[in-house]
Amino acid sequence: MNGSQFSHQGLQFEESLLFELDRPDSCGVDFDGHADLGLAEDSLGNLYRRAPIALPGLSEPEVVRHYTRLSQKNYSIDSGLYPLGSCTMKHNPRLNEKLARLEGLGDLHPLQPVATVQGVLALYDDIGRWLQEICGMPAVALSPAAGAHGELCGMMCIRAAIDEKEGEDSSRRRVLVPESAHGTNPSTATICGFTVDPIPADAGGRIDMMAFKDKLGDGSDVAGIMITNPNTCGLFETDIAKIAELIHASGGYVYCDGANLNAIMGRVRPGDLGIDCMHINLHKTFSTPHGGGGPGAGPVVLSAALAPYAPLPWVVKTGDDKFDLIEHEPGGPAKPFGRLKGFHGQTGMFIRALAYMMSHGRDGLRQASGDAVLNANYVLAKLKDVMSPAFPEYCKHEALFDDSFLAGTGVSTMDFAKAMIDEGFHPMTVYFPLVVHGAMLIEPTETESKFALDEFIGAMRVLVERARTGPAEKFHQAPRLAPRRRIDETEAARNLRLRWLPEEPTRDAAD
Amino acid sequence: MRYLPLTDGERMSMLADIGAAGIDDLFEDVPVAARFDGRFELTDHMGEMAVTEAFQGFAERNLSPARAPCFLGAGAYRHHVPASVDHLIQRGEFMTAYTPYQPEISQGTLQTLYEFQTQVALLTGMDVANASMYDGATACAEAVLMARRVTKRSGAILSGNLHPHYRDVALTTCRHLATVFDRADPAIPGPEAADNELADLAARIDDQTACVVVQNPDIFGRIRDLTDLAAACHASGALLVAVVTEVISLGALVSPGEMGADIVVAEGQSLGNGLSFGGPYLGLLATRSRFIRQMPGRLCGESHDVDGRRSYTLTLSAREQHIRREKATSNICTNSGLTALAFSIHLALLGEKGLRELALINHHRALTLAAKLDEIPGVEILTERYFNEFTVRLSQSAETVVDRLAENNILAGVPMSRLFPGNNDVEDLVLIAVTETVSERDIDRLATALGAQK
């Protein structure tokens, strides 16, 4: 079925697929210079691609209109508050975009002679220094490409440290992971050859210390713990220093998931808590764009104990404002566990994140985390009489609710979330963390104004009232005003269509 | 502070609503010993002009390829990106959106991913592609893990002519997952050297081989027909993983799919994305329909909404970490949405006609440069058949020559010693890439400069 069979509505356009707009002779690019087909056929011989690739042809105006129309079907931070808990959807400054595209920064080849890239190496050194200072940690590995990639880096460092100390056949292979952890944590531990042992949360939403001590035992088989702080319930893990002490005493290491650094930046240094490694999502705390799902960047700060195992490559200062790039096993005290990524790192993201940090400065970063926590607590305070906070105390950067306020209404957490769309808001994070029933996790971030928060709070209160008075049917049908109403995810998974095909049989929509 | 909307007055009134005296009260659960009340050894906030000046300072200490003829490749290529690409990806609706977990209000991102997956499948000659990965090297490592899941075997044979970064990322990523790697030595091309590399790889396959990983064009720029190697893999129940580090080559060369590859991974930077000193780039991963459920990474699929309108949504997420946790196919959480969008828009502008022409221009210019270099005494072209990149033997240390030319504002190529340190056989080799951004004049400058080297 062709999307264009449905008509446009107002300024909402039904946009066909690129492949349906194809006119084979069209092209959106003009070239300076020409290509000699005969020459290529001679030199490439049997390897010359003769069969059609079947890419569609469009002119430049058509391409610009296609993507402009598609963009208008997206919600974005630019258009509204994006309350996704654990995602830190803050404003993305445009200055960062401009700087990432400067001639001499955005266009450097990664394998230019080191003498010709001293400026960008200085920039690597600088962002490393900012991250180390903010976290109170002595070293940093910049290359991981995303948060989960940073987790892999941190856990690989832990594995390398253990294997060096105890040998590759060490029995220290158990990793403790709180049940409220992001799914990437257990998945990463598995890739590093560890087994995952979950620790339950206590009634207050933090790590249950009794259960932790019980799981730790004598600790001789425990490689470490993966702890998120503040945790995914939006609470500071008050026992973290004690936990770190016990883990260290038993010979293990502490990995911290830094996804929620935005709450404590400038107020708590992870290094002071006994953490050995922590990844930092530059696309959360330091405002680089989420881009509809990446690319991100996940540098990892390291303790002195883990610093020698940091992966290749890294930048060293060799003299007064002179830098070198270490790309191969250097010998000496460094024992890199390997390489995680092609070339050196997400340079474009380092530029944006450093521009953000320098814009805020040390004073602004502390104010930013303060405002992030203030905004979350304001939302919590203004909604706690009608919704059901999961925990009674102040939250950090995100406010967590359970679904008990919806009991008896016939409205589920998902229904409530979808109804937010009709009120002009992106839904909050739902059903996560798993430790709270029907969880709704709201993280407004510090870049929302009081006006925007009041509008959001007002909309939420209206929805709660509507859920109470009914009918629930209205919620089951939401969203009604979005570019699409509920989409059949079961159909997508059962009748897999992952690409456009030219001779797709016509389907009945009701099928 | 320009990014913080709250005024002091608003802060006070909000704190009053919360019932707290100050922001510090909201941190009352943080143990006193854990609090940091000192001052960082960092600068205070700055306006746009001061920040810009600082970054211009960084930029001025680099040699921009915009100011010097650039012949660098080895997995990252300088191509012209049409102005509309960078404009469109900076639309806030694309750039500042989250992962499309709420499909009703993310159809823009989802439809572009669906189009992207289709384009990648067409380019590589495969049935399906995922919604992208971090970069080519990480996609390659994921392909090895995927081949292990498909075949339930543990062996992986890596061509010695695979980009060393790809090799190292695969070795690192798989090191705790009981993967048995068989690494071939690099096979340096040359007029006298017979090309036995693919036959040698085929001879290494046994009943524990999950996959053979081979790059085309390889790290020396050489292009080959992988058909026989694919057949050898299939005869033993192994998969052929084909690696492409220059996607523009797919506009001129028979696709890996046509040659029988089972998984194709590629670096997509060449389309839509600037060099950006190595990242962020774009990993591509494509495969046959029958292996879909063992694919890593996000997938976008077609469906319908309750009104029967064609719609798109992320699908098969039951493979992924947020559902499967420790049993997931990969720990990967994200894709490279915005660089994938740039790729897709650039390819939409090019279309069939444009991509083919662009590829041929690249190839043609490489032939032109090679012909010029071939006339220089002491310079020997080693790669016989290539796309837009070839290996040259000089009469002295390639690194010395490249450094010397850089002082004269010519980025002459990648000395192979940078990729294969400690290998004496590559000391005098330089890898030279030529794209549409290299002019006739640039070609003459490089030829003249190399000719003047003693």
Side-chain angles (χ1 to χ4, degrees), chain B residues 27-140:
Chain B
F27 290 86
E28 65 184 13
D29 57 337
V30 178
V32 175
R35 294 182 199 173
F36 173 73
D37 290 317
R39 267 162 81 77
F40 292 135
E41 291 292 316
L42 300 167
T43 46
D44 286 325
H45 68 274
M46 286 184 196
E48 279 208 7
M49 290 199 297
V51 176
T52 303
E53 200 179 310
F55 280 79
Q56 267 158 355
F58 288 126
E60 279 159 17
R61 294 167 61 197
N62 302 315
L63 175 59
S64 162
R67 307 273 155 166
C70 177
F71 299 89
L72 295 155
Y77 301 87
R78 181 164 190 264
H79 290 287
H80 174 73
V81 177
S84 50
V85 174
D86 208 34
H87 163 76
L88 288 167
I89 67 164
Q90 286 189 78
R91 284 190 65 95
E93 301 93 326
F94 284 133
M95 192 178 84
T96 77
Y98 192 68
T99 302
Y101 288 135
Q102 297 290 341
E104 298 88 352
I105 46 173
S106 311
Q107 285 298 300
T109 295
L110 287 161
Q111 183 169 333
T112 62
L113 287 178
Y114 189 77
E115 292 172 344
F116 168 82
Q117 289 173 184
T118 307
Q119 288 171 321
V120 174
L122 291 170
L123 269 184
T124 54
M126 304 303 283
D127 299 326
V128 288
N130 74 9
S132 76
M133 319 208 71
Y134 303 142
D135 68 0
T138 52
C140 178

Side-chain angles (χ1 to χ4, degrees), chain A residues 197-229:
Chain A
D197 198 357
I199 323 171
D202 65 15
R206 295 185 171 87
I207 289 176
D208 183 328
M209 276 303 274
M210 292 295 286
F212 163 71
K213 286 180 185 163
D214 190 43
K215 293 267 184 176
L216 180 63
D218 73 354
S220 61
D221 67 335
V222 172
I225 187 167
M226 298 182 84
I227 190 167
T228 307
N229 192 34

Side-chain angles (χ1 to χ4, degrees), chain B residues 132-252:
Chain B
S132 76
M133 319 208 71
Y134 303 142
D135 68 0
T138 52
C140 178
E142 289 289 338
V144 172
L145 292 173
M146 177 181 158
R148 289 193 41 177
R149 290 191 295 273
V150 168
T151 61
K152 300 188 171 62
R153 296 175 176 183
S154 59
I157 299 168
L158 302 185
S159 155
N161 293 9
L162 177 64
H163 194 300
H165 290 180
Y166 288 53
R167 175 199 69 202
D168 291 348
V169 173
L171 294 175
T172 303
T173 308
C174 303
R175 68 184 292 173
H176 302 304
L177 297 171
T179 309
V180 183
F181 282 98
D182 177 7
R183 292 166 47 186
D185 290 327
I188 300 168
E192 292 92 44
D195 184 5
N196 296 327
E197 205 230 341
L198 299 183
D200 170 59
L201 291 174
R204 292 169 182 249
I205 300 171
D206 63 26
D207 62 1
Q208 275 312 300
T209 305
C211 62
V212 175
V213 182
V214 64
Q215 181 177 323
N216 194 50
D218 73 12
I219 191 64
F220 297 100
R222 183 165 46 185
I223 55 176
R224 275 95 56 93
D225 185 349
L226 304 177
T227 310
D228 291 347
L229 181 58
C233 286
H234 300 155
S236 304
L239 305 188
L240 179 66
V241 176
V243 177
V244 180
T245 62
E246 167 55 300
V247 279
I248 302 293
S249 70
L250 296 174

Side-chain angles (χ1 to χ4, degrees), chain A residues 43 101 103 337 363 488, chain B residues 45 64 67 86 175 303 363:
Chain A
S43 59
R101 290 164 171 83
E103 182 181 301
F337 69 73
D363 48 335
D488 190 344
Chain B
H45 68 274
S64 162
R67 307 273 155 166
D86 208 34
R175 68 184 292 173
S303 185
H363 180 56

